[in-house]
Amino acid sequence: MKLDAKVPSGPLADKWTTYQDHLKLVSVKNKRKFSVIVVGTGLAGASAAASLSEMGYKVKAFCYQDSARRAHSIAAQGGINASKNYPNDGDSDFRLYYDTIKGGDFRSREANVYRLAQVSSNIIDQCVAQGVPFAREYGGLLANRSFGGALVSRTFYARGQTGQQLLLGAYSALMKEVGRGGVELHSRVDMQDLVVVDGKARGIVTRDMVTGEIKTWAADAVLLCTGGYVNVFYLSTNAKGCNATAAWRAHRRGAGFANPCYTQIHPTCIPQSGDYQSKLTLMSESLRNDGRIWVPKKQGETRAAVDIPENERDYYLERIYPAYGNLAPRDISSRAAKRMCDEGRGVGPTGRGVYLDFAEAINNFGEDVIRDRYGNLFEMYERITGEDPYKVPMRIYPAPHYSMGGLWVDYNLMSTIDGLFVLGEANFSDHGANRLGASALMQGLADGYFVIPYTLSAYLATVDQKAVSESDAEFKDTAQEVKSRIDGLLKVNGSRSVDSFHRELGNILIDKCGMSRSEEGLKEAIGKIGQLREQFHQDVRVLGEGTNLNQELEKAARVSDFFELGELMCYDALERRESCGAHLREEFQTEEGEAVRNDAEFAHAAVWEFTGDVSKPQLNKEPLTFETVKLATRSYK
């Protein structure tokens, strides 16, 4: 596998401008000759589809939801980062870039990250022009708040509904182009495979989720904007429909998968209350601006939180990380919460929880101010738990939330398959080993609005490829493979449900490849996953048929892919003999539980190649070099 990042030459701050100044363009008239497939209509997909259609390309957009408005981007709560420096507290493009590089523990490609910082301010202008109702200060300027891993306030927000409001803006732009005829939108359609012709991505195979129809679609390029894969853990903060099939099927067709072991465990989630749950609920990181996190100093404490006096409380993040306190990065905060609970100081019925307390903030600012900032989040918490967070502290605990790993892409956002571009959370490039809060929305919109319009045009202006159609052999053969795979799942007719297999897989992964990993545990997990995968294909029971609406069949196909992905995550974690960011190998940590990197051997992106045998993946490496920063031990103290 050839890994050429195609990073432009020249000073870091000038690379993107130099790229834009010298790329080859498709003329306005010729854009109408090219067709583009966009899979996924979240922030990355909707913004890309709308932008490319406005430029003149013929776009076909696909989503498995009944409406593009229901993409999982809608669930993002706390905000979106941009280096506008409205609070005048010292922010800049460089500081946003550096915080992101440092937050990812120096395991991301710096040219992509710097470009992200450069275009971040344009995102805010774009969204304001679309009518996104960002919070404002009394004088009318857009308001900012802080998120983990930053000493400045750079997060723009719309209460606790930022993802929803941003998605409505992108959705409006998308539907304008649908109404104009520039975008052909297909909802309740699930991508099943990628069609590769002469080494280039030329189309996809889909299944109509209502009728079961298998259909092929041809284009000049394919954009995957399909989000992350943390539902591999079964319990996560993601919607149940979120899956890895599109990316994984592309991987099996030749797209390199980078850093699959980099998954983020978010520290601010409502604790699990029982085995009956199918997902977990995120409480926005923005709450850590005003909420203080603590546990009792005494082990086995049984008193209610309000009955525990101040001198018997351990505000452990403020104690351990005084510079950042409650806004320490997510990976660090999650591991710290786990340590407190492992010591027997966790709270709640299961002992797997810590307090997030707003009593001081309410006393200082008043309940009305806190209600204005976080009212919908407080209401959501009370509805789920039955507890009023204005009167008693919230209980939170870490939960799987985001994947920093994903399909490998170069500077153009193109994978190792020519013509296959990967945007947003589905790619690996920007967040390294840990994502800072409020950076996911930034990356999705940056990729869709301000990067792919340039890089796709540069590809289409230079690529030499023959015309293809859905009647070609490659399309028919791929469609037949999809049909055979679906028929195979239906024919097993075993004794166990899909969810029972998925839950067991998730338990293995969260235990052995979750907040911490070890060589012994990872080897054990690889063996168990292989055995469970074989059992799945011999004993899963998928009710119904493939010719109509069948959610069990949808889940079975996705869980089949999760088995293979979960095994690769463990191989990747086993090979990376260091700790960095969210990847904590127990053999490589300080006495205080902090990560110990090994830059001499592992300052690279681990890019895995499918060999035809899921148990024998091939490792390739992209060295990570840094022009403007020095590799340093990450410290938030």
Side-chain angles (χ1 to χ4, degrees), residues 192-193 205-207 212-216 249 253 475-491 546-547 553 557:
Q192 298 290 309
D193 216 331
V205 179
T206 62
R207 178 181 180 270
E213 180 186 11
I214 303 298
K215 193 170 182 180
T216 56
R249 289 291 139 186
R253 293 290 174 188
F475 287 82
K476 292 181 178 179
D477 291 345
T478 307
Q480 185 57 50
E481 291 181 34
V482 169
K483 292 176 182 177
S484 297
R485 190 162 66 244
I486 290 173
D487 290 342
L489 290 170
L490 290 167
K491 288 178 181 178
T547 55
L553 176 59

Side-chain angles (χ1 to χ4, degrees), residues 158-173:
R159 296 187 74 185
Q161 308 169 358
T162 312
Q164 178 180 359
Q165 299 301 332
L166 292 173
L167 183 62
L168 288 173
Y171 170 78
S172 299

Side-chain angles (χ1 to χ4, degrees), residues 265-420:
I265 311 295
H266 196 295
T268 317
C269 303
I270 297 178
Q272 181 182 357
S273 57
D275 292 336
Y276 56 84
Q277 284 185 248
S278 60
K279 73 177 298 294
L280 298 171
T281 302
L282 172 70
M283 299 306 297
S284 171
E285 183 177 315
S286 63
L287 295 171
R288 294 198 277 152
N289 273 273
D290 291 302
R292 300 180 70 193
I293 296 172
W294 64 276
V295 292
K297 290 182 178 179
K298 185 176 72 175
Q299 293 179 333
E301 178 64 74
T302 58
R303 288 176 293 175
V306 294
D307 295 330
I308 301 174
E310 279 290 317
N311 62 354
E312 296 182 32
R313 300 180 179 188
D314 181 8
Y315 294 90
Y316 59 89
L317 288 178
E318 299 173 25
R319 171 174 57 82
I320 302 171
Y321 308 103
Y324 288 76
N326 296 297
L327 287 172
R330 291 176 176 178
D331 58 322
I332 289 172
S333 301
S334 291
R335 288 197 293 271
K338 182 178 183 296
R339 288 201 303 274
M340 298 303 111
C341 295
D342 290 345
E343 292 174 6
R345 296 195 284 146
V347 302
T350 65
R352 288 281 146 183
V354 300
Y355 287 127
L356 178 60
D357 197 335
F358 287 86
E360 182 179 288
I362 292 173
N363 183 61
N364 289 339
F365 305 119
E367 184 175 316
D368 288 344
V369 172
I370 300 303
R371 191 180 300 276
D372 184 59
R373 292 174 181 174
Y374 312 112
N376 61 305
L377 297 171
F378 277 45
E379 180 183 354
M380 181 173 70
Y381 181 87
E382 184 174 9
R383 287 186 177 185
I384 292 172
T385 66
E387 299 174 353
D388 184 353
Y390 294 103
K391 298 178 180 178
V392 299
M394 291 183 180
R395 287 179 291 109
I396 58 171
Y397 192 70
H401 175 62
Y402 188 89
S403 49
M404 288 75 68
L407 293 183
W408 183 91
V409 293
D410 61 18
Y411 191 74
N412 301 309
L413 303 184
M414 190 160 70
S415 72
T416 53
I417 300 176
D418 286 351
L420 177 66

Side-chain angles (χ1 to χ4, degrees), residues 103-115:
D105 218 351
F106 302 92
R107 290 294 179 263
S108 48
R109 186 190 295 139
E110 70 166 354
N112 290 61
V113 177
Y114 200 94
R115 176 176 63 189

